[in-house]
Amino acid sequence: MKELLNFILKIWRQKNNEEKGKFETYRIDDISPDSSFLEMLDLLNNQILYNRTGGEPISFDHDCREGICGMCSLYINGRAHGPESLITTCQLHMRHFHNGETIYIEPWRAKSFPIIKDLVVDRSSFDRIIISGGYISVNTFGKTIDGNMIPIPKEYADQAFDAGTCIGCGACVAACKNRSAMLFVSAKVSQFSLLPQGKIERKKRVLNMVKKMDEEGFGNCTNTKACEIDCPKGISTEYISFMNKEYIQSFI
Amino acid sequence: MIIKNYLKLDSKIPIGPLNHKWINHKSSLKLVSPSNRSNIEIIVVGTGLSGGSVAATLAELGYQVKVFCYQDSPRRAHSVAAQGGINAAKNYKGDNDSVYQLFYDTIKGGDYRSREANVYRLAEISSNIIDQCVAQGVPFARDYAGYLENRSFGGTKVSRTFYAKGQTGQQLLLACYSAMSRQIGKGRIKMYNRYEMLELVVIDGIARGIISRNLVSGEIERYAAHAVIIASGGYGNVFFLSTNAMGSNSSAIWKVHKKGGFFANPCFTQIHPTCIPAHANYQSKLTLMSESLRNDGRIWVPKNIEDAISIRNGEKYPENILEEKRDYYLERRYPSFGNLVPRDVASRAAKERCDKGFGIENNENKEGVFLDFSSSIERYGIEKANELGIKNPSLMEIKRFGEEVIESKYGNLFHMYEKITDKNPYKNPMKIYPAVHYTMGGLWVDYNLMSSIPGCYVIGEANFSDHGANRLGASALMQGLADGYFILPYTIADYLSTYIHNKKELSTNHVEFDKSEKKVKKRILQLISNNGDLSVDFFHRKLGNIMWKYVGMSRDNNGLSKAIKKIQELRDEFWKNIFVPGNIEDGFNSELEKAGRVADFLELGELIAMDALYRKESCGSHFRIENQTKEGESLRDDIHYKHVSIWKYQENKSISEEMMYKENLTFSFVKLQSRSYK
């Protein structure tokens, strides 16, 4: 049997975006090192429910718990998705924390992600960026040509795929000191620009998406690469360079 | 339960030869002219592959579409988690694949409990889907010549699965999310994120709208439409532990059922053979490892029970077990399909070994088997070394090359496994065990995908029609997109065209909206003001235990009868003793959301058990212990059960009083055979 762990949790509580938030302190004992971070929060919420003290359970976003839907967030000990690389919070396990450790848990911190409640933020600004042009304008009911009619070099297909694996969780924004969304936007821009199907609209797409990103209040990139370090899918900042090139070329 | 044999329920399957049915049917469907489409409003509930694709397509056609999803963005729908791929009968690999082969594999895989006409249509459409997705910018895997790659899946002997590493579902979902986003930008789709449908509004027998709750503000709102499309996915979370997302729920389909929508084959729940085994009682979720891994992974347990015990106790490691001391039980029992037998067969075989004490995981039930990649790593390593012209490569080199090949095929899955279990699957075999995955049952629909309530359509996993008693791998994505992109947009026009003639105004002022809204509010109040002692999760886990124990991988008369009684008791206890914090006027309240969903699961669970109790045969995912062959294979009974079981809720009566009707299944193209994968 593995040694069970105890923690002190400092968790950000905030009723809604208008009211002021603050840290509350909780104690949780006997956590298995194999428990996931969110399972630990489930247990804490149960504790709160059964004790009838400490108010309502803590609200946090989560869904697939497989690291792919991008719903979970959490700023843990000063890092988006916590201390481990290349994972989302739902795939973070308590074995990565020390017994007795104090863990700070905060929501994503960005003006463009207003707080809904406690640790839950509103990421619809990401949706609005996609709505502004993050697609290929092909109709879905028409007849398209055979999938093999346009061969695509494997390296391009692979690179487009790597960019396409972005889960839109917002960790890049939360990790960035400028609250920039450029990693997110560049991933989508690159995916489509690398594929022949997406090349036709590439100029319009990058212009629209960058414009929308600015309107939504996201900051600019100053190449500190914090986004790349905290991105759970390892999206490279090379895509930001790629997007910058696309952006400049769109004026030519 | 009351069993009736006959009900005037028109499945609207077109006449004529199987391969002409869809073509002929399309030409007889009525149309709505482009200028009239913008006067028609449609509600879509759910934004996965089926909901997303139908919303995008209907909006493109010019209809006004309102889309509801409970997450913060349509991009989070659980289709995003599908890993392995999507089938299509393209025959790009020249292994003699065809529409007929795909149709045949699917109907046989479903153990002859699905509709022949629906399955054929699905196979016919499959190729279009791939072309469409490529055009939308889905970065499918490609070979070095630039052409699309394929791989193989369980239950088939051809390579017809298109994939994007282990993230195919994500790439397809993001493509239809993009297509939707384009329409949102045009104003043809109005998106309602963080909303949950809590009631279907039926006026004069026709679906006319929904009552939903804004999950942020807590407000109860009314929405009217000319048609309502339910695309809310499956109900596997009735088992608590499953591979579904935590929020996946049955509430939307259950509300439709209680408003008169028939529920078909509820007991057909697929148990997926390759999930990471459960490890402890605080666990919230099980994680799937794609079935595609069985292309390169060999499944085994030790031949000797002493070795299994030593492995469980950590005294021996898999590499200590010599090749001849390993039991590759799938290859032994099913030499022709081996590790690629369909999911139900693979799951049962794993259970059989673990029940006999050969399980290798040190968890509560000693359940788990190895999925071992070492032979593939070696084989690929040698191939790669040959390719690079390296003569006499060292063992280290072979392993390194082999691991690189495996990494390129399944990299993200191996990464995921390592993060969860803290074990490196390149070095040690994975440990896997079956878990609840997909529900083949769902709301009954006719050939046009309309439920028994006119104007209410059901697509994707939420309906019952295409997979029978078992679903073959890589066919869920296929059905979702076929329904959404290529079937419903045609069939719904046939229904909507009637509105142009009698120009009925839409309004949310009807008395049925009042009634439905009142009902929703009353239920929320009931939950929130109960002030009992126990949490929602407590009840959900308890229900899950009952379901897994008695209605899981194998079922028998006694267990099922017991389960029904236990669920009824648990439901009574729930309404007496549930505690949901917060006030009715508060907004965001996750406990309240869960409570409503678990209340529905507590009813659906009983219906699942009732359906399983009634079906005294073994077929696909439904294995009745009383009905098996001497070798322990499932024994179908085509004389008595070659039909869809259709359940009808009786208003204001308990679940146990639901009526059951039958839709007989006819097979004109295939001959029913006992399913063998030997």
Side-chain angles (χ1 to χ4, degrees):
Chain A
M1 195 64 194
K2 288 175 193 163
E3 191 201 347
L4 297 176
L5 309 170
N6 306 330
F7 300 104
I8 308 284
L9 304 172
K10 301 267 187 189
I11 302 180
W12 188 259
R13 305 296 311 254
Q14 188 168 340
K15 203 158 182 240
N16 54 46
N17 203 38
E18 275 79 54
E19 288 183 41
K20 245 179 134 176
K22 62 171 190 225
F23 280 108
E24 294 279 358
T25 307
Y26 300 87
R27 210 196 134 84
I28 183 127
D29 293 340
D30 300 333
I31 294 294
S32 159
D34 289 330
S35 154
S36 77
F37 199 86
L38 297 184
E39 281 164 353
M40 186 266 299
L41 285 182
D42 291 340
L43 290 170
L44 177 69
N45 271 345
N46 253 314
Q47 193 174 299
I48 294 173
L49 270 172
Y50 283 121
N51 290 348
R52 303 284 169 98
T53 52
E56 281 181 43
I58 295 138
S59 298
F60 59 95
D61 264 335
H62 65 97
D63 201 16
C64 79
R65 297 207 178 184
E66 288 183 22
I68 190 77
C69 77
M71 186 94 170
C72 64
S73 47
L74 302 192
Y75 212 67
I76 301 163
N77 285 347
R79 285 197 57 187
H81 295 301
E84 286 291 293
S85 304
L86 296 175
I87 47 169
T88 51
T89 298
C90 66
Q91 300 293 62
L92 175 65
H93 287 75
M94 298 317 291
R95 63 178 84 97
H96 300 296
F97 296 86
H98 308 294
N99 194 11
E101 190 176 340
T102 301
I103 305 174
Y104 284 82
I105 310 172
E106 298 164 76
W108 278 173
R109 301 183 295 187
K111 188 182 76 181
S112 312
F113 292 160
I115 287 180
I116 290 176
K117 188 178 177 184
D118 298 339
L119 304 168
V120 177
V121 300
D122 177 359
R123 283 169 283 193
S124 51
S125 47
F126 268 18
D127 285 329
R128 288 189 292 272
I129 293 173
I130 298 294
I131 290 166
S132 77
Y135 46 77
I136 291 172
S137 301
V138 58
N139 285 341
T140 64
F141 54 84
K143 290 240 188 260
T144 47
I145 54 168
D146 185 275
N148 262 350
M149 286 289 278
I150 308 172
I152 301 174
K154 183 172 161 43
E155 58 196 278
Y156 285 8
D158 287 351
Q159 276 180 40
F161 170 80
D162 287 343
T165 57
C166 167
I167 56 174
C169 63
C172 48
V173 175
C176 175
K177 65 185 161 74
N178 304 327
R179 308 290 171 243
S180 167
M182 281 178 74
L183 195 67
F184 168 75
V185 180
S186 70
K188 201 39 75 185
V189 166
S190 306
Q191 179 193 343
F192 290 141
S193 291
L194 283 159
L195 297 169
Q197 290 83 358
K199 285 212 159 78
I200 298 152
E201 299 172 273
R202 65 199 287 188
K203 288 186 177 181
K204 196 176 103 201
R205 180 181 308 116
V206 69
L207 284 174
N208 287 342
M209 290 181 80
V210 168
K211 184 167 159 257
K212 191 73 200 170
M213 173 176 82
D214 292 343
E215 278 172 20
E216 292 289 341
F218 291 103
N220 263 314
C221 174
T222 46
N223 296 309
T224 51
K225 297 193 177 184
C227 55
E228 184 178 306
I229 292 168
D230 278 1
C231 172
K233 297 294 152 185
I235 309 277
S236 162
T237 43
E238 280 173 31
Y239 290 114
I240 297 185
S241 316
F242 189 91
M243 177 176 79
N244 285 336
K245 193 179 84 188
E246 289 285 306
Y247 186 73
I248 293 163
Q249 278 179 348
S250 69
F251 290 105
I252 300 169
Chain B
M1 82 187 104
I2 303 154
I3 297 163
K4 296 260 168 126
N5 279 320
Y6 180 73
L7 174 73
K8 212 170 167 308
L9 200 60
D10 186 1
S11 56
K12 300 211 177 85
I13 295 169
I15 48 163
L18 192 59
N19 49 354
H20 291 154
K21 279 184 199 289
W22 178 231
I23 300 167
N24 290 347
H25 187 62
K26 273 195 290 186
S27 55
S28 70
L29 290 168
K30 289 196 278 295
L31 305 172
V32 178
S33 84
S35 58
N36 283 329
R37 289 178 203 153
S38 59
N39 302 324
I40 291 180
E41 297 196 38
I42 300 169
I43 283 173
V44 179
V45 179
T47 59
L49 284 182
S50 66
S53 57
V54 85
T57 307
L58 291 173
E60 262 174 28
L61 286 166
Y63 298 104
Q64 293 294 320
V65 185
K66 294 192 188 88
V67 184
F68 294 80
C69 87
Y70 74 81
Q71 292 109 329
D72 70 331
S73 164
R75 68 180 299 143
R76 318 265 185 232
H78 198 54
S79 306
V80 83
Q83 296 168 348
I86 176 165
N87 285 333
K90 284 275 199 186
N91 195 31
Y92 281 161
K93 293 288 142 187
D95 47 10
N96 200 16
D97 198 11
S98 63
V99 169
Y100 176 77
Q101 288 291 352
L102 174 53
F103 157 74
Y104 177 74
D105 285 342
T106 310
I107 207 125
K108 176 189 171 196
D111 222 347
Y112 306 95
R113 291 294 173 263
S114 47
R115 268 198 207 134
E116 208 182 24
N118 287 56
V119 178
Y120 196 89
R121 173 172 67 182
L122 182 65
E124 249 179 313
I125 290 170
S126 63
S127 287
N128 280 357
I129 301 172
I130 303 302
D131 301 338
Q132 181 63 51
C133 293
V134 169
Q136 282 169 275
V138 171
F140 282 120
R142 301 245 165 193
D143 63 18
Y144 281 101
Y147 295 108
L148 290 157
E149 266 290 11
N150 291 114
R151 61 184 170 202
S152 194
F153 256 62
T156 72
K157 285 177 175 169
V158 293
S159 280
R160 65 160 72 100
T161 307
F162 294 78
Y163 65 99
K165 271 199 187 165
Q167 278 141 279
T168 319
Q170 181 197 26
Q171 295 306 314
L172 296 173
L173 182 80
L174 292 183
C176 83
Y177 157 72
S178 302
M180 273 177 78
S181 296
R182 178 168 162 247
Q183 299 303 326
I184 296 172
K186 288 175 192 247
R188 289 175 177 172
I189 290 181
K190 183 134 178 32
M191 200 51 233
Y192 295 85
N193 295 331
R194 293 196 193 265
Y195 268 76
E196 185 159 46
M197 164 182 162
L198 291 180
E199 195 63 43
L200 179 78
V201 181
V202 178
I203 298 174
D204 302 330
I206 294 173
R208 283 303 208 141
I210 63 168
I211 306 289
S212 67
R213 181 168 178 269
N214 177 332
L215 300 179
V216 176
S217 72
E219 267 162 84
I220 307 297
E221 298 171 11
R222 306 169 173 204
Y223 295 93
H226 293 102
V228 177
I229 299 167
I230 307 290
S232 59
Y235 48 87
N237 270 343
V238 77
F239 288 81
F240 187 68
L241 282 184
S242 85
T243 64
N244 287 268
M246 298 286 286
S248 294
N249 63 83
S250 71
S251 286
I253 54 172
W254 195 245
K255 303 301 181 200
V256 174
H257 177 56
K258 291 189 85 175
K259 270 277 160 85
F262 297 157
F263 210 112
N265 296 335
C267 81
F268 290 167
T269 304
Q270 177 162 80
I271 315 285
H272 195 292
T274 51
C275 298
I276 300 175
H279 57 91
N281 58 4
Y282 55 79
Q283 197 159 346
S284 61
K285 170 80 174 57
L286 293 171
T287 303
L288 180 78
M289 290 284 110
S290 167
E291 182 180 10
S292 63
L293 293 171
R294 288 196 275 148
N295 272 307
D296 286 310
R298 298 175 72 198
I299 294 175
W300 63 277
V301 291
K303 262 185 195 158
N304 300 322
I305 209 152
E306 298 76 34
D307 283 342
I309 294 168
S310 308
I311 286 177
R312 285 203 296 263
N313 295 339
E315 292 148 7
K316 269 188 183 174
Y317 297 97
E319 53 272 27
N320 301 137
I321 312 293
L322 295 171
E323 192 66 17
E324 62 269 21
K325 296 272 171 77
R326 299 177 179 188
D327 177 12
Y328 294 95
Y329 57 87
L330 288 176
E331 296 168 34
R332 165 170 61 80
R333 283 176 66 175
Y334 308 100
S336 134
F337 280 77
N339 293 297
L340 283 175
V341 289
R343 292 174 176 177
D344 57 328
V345 179
S347 295
R348 269 199 303 281
K351 182 177 191 302
E352 189 270 340
R353 284 292 83 192
C354 292
D355 285 351
K356 294 260 164 67
F358 292 91
I360 48 79
E361 175 71 306
N362 190 22
N363 54 18
E364 209 178 320
N365 304 318
K366 319 274 176 258
E367 288 170 340
V369 299
F370 287 124
L371 178 62
D372 194 334
F373 294 88
S374 52
S375 335
S376 293
I377 289 176
E378 195 182 317
R379 193 179 76 237
Y380 287 131
I382 293 170
E383 270 177 24
K384 190 81 196 178
N386 285 340
E387 226 176 280
L388 295 170
I390 299 170
K391 285 190 184 119
N392 305 320
S394 69
L395 219 59
M396 284 277 284
E397 278 176 307
I398 291 173
K399 272 203 160 171
R400 183 160 55 83
F401 290 142
E403 283 175 16
E404 276 170 18
V405 176
I406 292 287
E407 206 271 330
S408 73
K409 290 174 105 168
Y410 315 110
N412 73 307
L413 301 173
F414 275 56
H415 175 76
M416 192 152 111
Y417 182 87
E418 187 174 358
K419 286 297 172 191
I420 292 173
T421 63
D422 212 19
K423 292 274 181 326
N424 180 344
Y426 294 101
K427 311 287 175 211
N428 312 292
M430 283 184 182
K431 292 172 176 178
I432 53 156
Y433 196 69
V436 171
H437 181 50
Y438 187 95
T439 47
M440 282 76 64
L443 286 172
W444 182 89
V445 288
D446 64 17
Y447 190 71
N448 291 331
L449 306 179
M450 185 154 86
S451 72
S452 55
I453 302 173
C456 177
Y457 288 79
V458 190
I459 55 176
E461 191 180 350
N463 78 22
F464 87 102
S465 61
D466 290 11
H467 306 298
N470 175 47
R471 179 175 65 78
L472 288 186
S475 63
L477 304 186
M478 178 170 64
Q479 191 211 345
L481 292 179
D483 287 359
Y485 282 146
F486 299 109
I487 301 171
L488 192 60
Y490 293 120
T491 59
I492 202 170
D494 191 62
Y495 171 80
L496 293 170
S497 62
T498 54
Y499 281 98
I500 304 308
H501 304 297
N502 47 18
K503 285 237 181 234
K504 280 183 192 158
E505 289 294 314
L506 279 183
S507 158
T508 53
N509 288 330
H510 196 278
V511 59
E512 282 298 330
F513 273 97
D514 297 342
K515 270 208 258 176
S516 299
E517 187 180 315
K518 226 178 254 167
K519 196 166 137 196
V520 166
K521 284 186 170 160
K522 191 177 146 208
R523 186 172 152 110
I524 290 174
L525 191 67
Q526 207 178 342
L527 285 169
I528 230 160
S529 56
N530 196 46
N531 214 18
D533 294 320
L534 297 166
S535 75
V536 179
D537 281 357
F538 170 86
F539 286 100
H540 198 176
R541 272 176 204 277
K542 211 151 181 193
L543 172 67
N545 284 339
I546 299 170
M547 295 300 291
W548 183 241
K549 191 166 176 196
Y550 301 110
V551 201
M553 258 187 287
S554 56
R555 300 138 177 208
D556 66 28
N557 192 61
N558 289 344
L560 289 167
S561 310
K562 212 181 274 177
I564 292 171
K565 207 166 149 271
K566 277 174 181 280
I567 296 167
Q568 287 167 350
E569 287 165 6
L570 188 65
R571 196 169 57 228
D572 290 344
E573 177 73 13
F574 175 90
W575 286 106
K576 269 188 221 136
N577 218 349
I578 185 75
F579 170 61
V580 180
N583 295 309
I584 192 151
E585 61 273 12
D586 287 352
F588 203 86
N589 185 345
S590 326
E591 284 295 313
L592 176 63
E593 286 171 36
K594 281 194 292 186
R597 294 166 190 167
V598 171
D600 292 336
F601 283 140
L602 281 164
E603 294 183 342
L604 174 57
E606 185 178 347
L607 188 67
I608 295 173
M610 277 161 61
D611 189 43
L613 180 63
Y614 157 78
R615 195 172 276 275
K616 292 182 186 63
E617 65 160 350
S618 293
C619 63
S621 67
H622 170 66
F623 189 77
R624 279 290 292 262
I625 290 169
E626 302 94 331
N627 302 79
Q628 54 179 314
T629 64
K630 267 185 239 140
E631 296 88 38
E633 303 292 343
S634 69
L635 191 60
R636 227 174 45 223
D637 178 353
D638 289 331
I639 296 170
H640 298 102
Y641 298 99
K642 197 182 70 183
H643 66 78
V644 180
S645 304
I646 302 169
W647 296 87
K648 182 174 186 278
Y649 174 73
Q650 303 205 70
E651 228 181 312
N652 300 323
K653 288 196 178 164
S654 65
I655 303 304
S656 56
E657 287 177 84
E658 291 215 7
M659 315 263 272
M660 200 205 85
Y661 300 94
K662 296 173 184 175
E663 177 191 329
N664 284 320
L665 293 167
T666 50
F667 296 90
S668 58
F669 223 55
V670 289
K671 217 174 105 223
L672 267 67
Q673 291 168 346
S674 77
R675 210 160 136 244
S676 167
Y677 291 92
K678 290 201 186 284

